[in-house]
Each structure stands twice: as structure tokens, then as C-alpha cells.
Amino acid sequence: MPRNPGVTDEAIIRMYKSGMPYKEMVARVGISDRAIRNVIYKHGVKMNREQSSGQPRKHKVNENFFKTWSHEMAWVLGLFITDGCINQSISSVSLTQKNQTILRQVARYMGADYILSKKYKTRTTATLVINSKEIKNDLAKLGVLPNKSLSVQFPEVPDEFLPSFIRGVVDGDGWVQCVVK
């Protein structure tokens, strides 16, 4: 598919940064969406998740939630350390709790409009699933990794937020094992 005459890489980048959908760009530029992405990559333009997938994010979430310490963030971190699950193969984290009120509060704190997953034959406890590479990476920086029960260390929590973190741990499964060396 040949590029329409007069359409430069800079014009493609301007359209992309303006939020124009790929479908519309393909029609205007005259090249495939893959070729448009190649132009974006070639010039080192940061990819906009909504445009790169071709559709807006299905559920919103504050992807900066774990970047700044707050009492709410510390509490949620404690919950994730005890009751969270970090998916190893995809950019997804989940929190399972019998108390759905806690899950709804976590969703509110994280600015998430996620719906709790339904119970199935193999899962009888409510679960909040958040699909976000950014949140998964931020949790990893805080020491929360896949198979965390085998490797999680007590995180470096600022003194001011330590009570909130401990509360999250207790509200989670309420059990902590300290290994003395």
C-alpha cells in the first residue's frame, strides 16, 4: 500500500499524538496500521496504549497508584503482599478476598472501575482483577512478584505509612512469618 503523496513521518506522528484512531490514519495516510506503528517506533515516540491496541482501555485505573506513598497505597500494598496474585505470563494483578467491601474499597482507592470477577466452580472467593503492565511493574519494584509467597521481603515502607501497611497485611490474611537470620 503506497503512502499518499506529501504525507511525511512528522505528519503521521502529529496525527498519532492528536489521538486520531488508526483506522482514520490508515485512510488518510494510505499505509497499513503496522506501517504507521513502524514510523512511530522509528522516531521513538512513546506508544499510547489506547491507540496501539486500536481501542480504548476497557476499564480505567490510576496507573500511578503505587508510585507515591500514601496511607491508602500502603494499605493496598499490604493487601497485595498477603492476598494478591501477580500473573507471571500477562500484565495482570489480582486481589482475592472473602470480604467484598475491602475489594470495592481497593478499587475506589485505585481509581478503578473494575467489576469483581464472578465466582466459578474452581473459584468461590471474590476477586478484583486489574490488567495493567504499569501497576504490575510498580508492584515488582516494591518487591511483589509472581510466586511472591516464596520470595517476598518486608518492603521499605516509610515510617509514616508503616501502620497503614501493617493494617493491610492484617486485613489480608492476617498472618506474617518473620525469618530471623
Side-chain angles (χ1 to χ4, degrees):
M1 176 183 280
R3 188 185 287 195
N4 290 338
V7 178
T8 64
D9 285 2
E10 292 75 23
I12 292 170
I13 292 167
R14 273 195 308 279
M15 286 183 238
Y16 178 79
K17 286 184 173 181
S18 76
M20 183 181 293
Y22 273 116
K23 229 178 206 180
E24 190 176 334
M25 289 174 68
V26 166
R28 286 189 185 192
V29 177
I31 59 176
S32 69
D33 59 344
R34 174 178 266 173
I36 291 169
R37 275 193 297 278
N38 287 340
V39 170
I40 304 302
Y41 289 135
K42 178 173 84 175
H43 291 282
V45 175
K46 186 174 179 187
M47 293 297 289
N48 175 342
R49 185 184 190 287
E50 291 182 4
Q51 285 172 298
S52 63
S53 67
Q55 54 186 296
R57 175 181 270 289
K58 188 173 182 179
H59 295 286
K60 70 176 184 166
V61 64
N62 174 4
E63 293 196 308
N64 296 317
F65 183 76
F66 287 106
K67 293 186 185 319
T68 306
W69 283 98
S70 68
H71 290 287
E72 293 81 4
M73 183 274 232
W75 178 70
V76 173
L77 178 62
L79 287 167
F80 266 101
I81 281 182
T82 54
D83 285 341
C85 178
I86 311 303
N87 191 304
Q88 191 159 354
S89 57
I90 60 172
S91 296
S92 174
V93 300
S94 61
L95 188 61
T96 302
Q97 268 280 327
K98 288 180 184 174
N99 185 343
Q100 291 186 22
T101 304
I102 288 177
L103 295 178
R104 288 187 187 94
Q105 187 63 48
V106 169
R108 273 193 295 278
Y109 283 160
M110 294 183 74
D113 64 356
Y114 286 78
I115 299 167
L116 303 182
S117 68
K118 296 176 183 167
K119 296 178 183 180
Y120 296 103
K121 290 177 186 175
T122 58
R123 180 181 48 216
T124 58
T125 308
T127 302
L128 174 67
V129 179
I130 295 179
N131 298 307
S132 169
K133 185 177 184 178
E134 192 75 16
I135 286 177
K136 182 179 176 181
N137 289 341
D138 288 344
L139 283 168
K141 290 175 190 172
L142 292 163
V144 185
L145 301 165
N147 299 318
K148 65 177 174 41
S149 60
L150 304 174
S151 64
V152 72
Q153 300 288 315
F154 197 94
E156 292 185 30
V157 179
D159 291 345
E160 173 185 357
F161 305 111
L162 195 54
S164 297
F165 172 76
I166 298 297
R167 173 69 191 269
V169 168
V170 172
D171 285 345
D173 62 18
W175 183 82
V176 178
Q177 177 180 358
C178 296
V179 178
V180 180
K181 292 183 180 182

